């Protein structure tokens, strides 16, 4: 997840960079949350940090987190992603 100074900056970054923050990226306040396989998390974190720095995008934090039980449930029950709903 990447945290920005405010929700406006997070929305603007997602809109300006759909190749990096595509439809699988959730906006939660001033944070963009995107998924990746656990084995890829360190590489994805480094790649995203390099991208943000190269593009001179202001951000206040970047981290790898585990999904909450609610996030797992929502993901598993989405119709458009082959879920059970």
């Amino acid at each position: 997840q990447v945290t920005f100074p405010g929700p406006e900056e997070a929305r603007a970054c997602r809109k300006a960079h759909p190749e990096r923050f595509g439809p699988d990226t959730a906006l939660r306040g001033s944070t963009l949350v995107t998924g990746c396989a656990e084995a890829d998390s360190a590489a994805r974190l480094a790649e995203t940090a390099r991208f943000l720095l190269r593009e001179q995008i202001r951000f206040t934090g970047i981290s790898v987190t585990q999904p909450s039980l609610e996030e797992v449930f929502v993901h598993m029950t989405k119709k458009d992603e082959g879920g059970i709903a």
Side-chain angles (χ1 to χ4, degrees), residues 74-85:
V74 168
H75 177 74
M76 291 181 68
T77 57
K78 279 186 173 180
K79 274 187 179 180
D80 60 340
E81 293 185 12
I84 58 175

Side-chain angles (χ1 to χ4, degrees), residues 1-73:
Q1 67 183 24
V2 180
T3 304
F4 296 87
E8 302 81 25
E9 289 91 342
R11 274 192 297 277
C13 183
R14 185 165 114 178
K15 184 176 180 180
H17 303 285
E19 73 287 351
R20 173 70 53 182
F21 302 106
D24 64 329
T25 301
L27 175 63
R28 296 199 179 104
S30 60
T31 302
L32 292 177
V33 181
T34 189
C36 70
E38 187 175 345
D40 299 334
S41 60
R44 181 86 181 257
L45 177 72
E47 180 184 313
T48 300
R50 281 192 299 272
F51 169 79
L52 293 167
L53 293 169
R54 183 178 61 247
E55 297 295 320
Q56 300 181 348
I57 298 170
R58 216 171 102 207
F59 64 101
T60 58
I62 185 170
S63 63
V64 175
T65 60
Q66 295 290 328
S68 69
L69 185 57
E70 178 184 0
E71 290 167 330
V72 171
F73 177 78

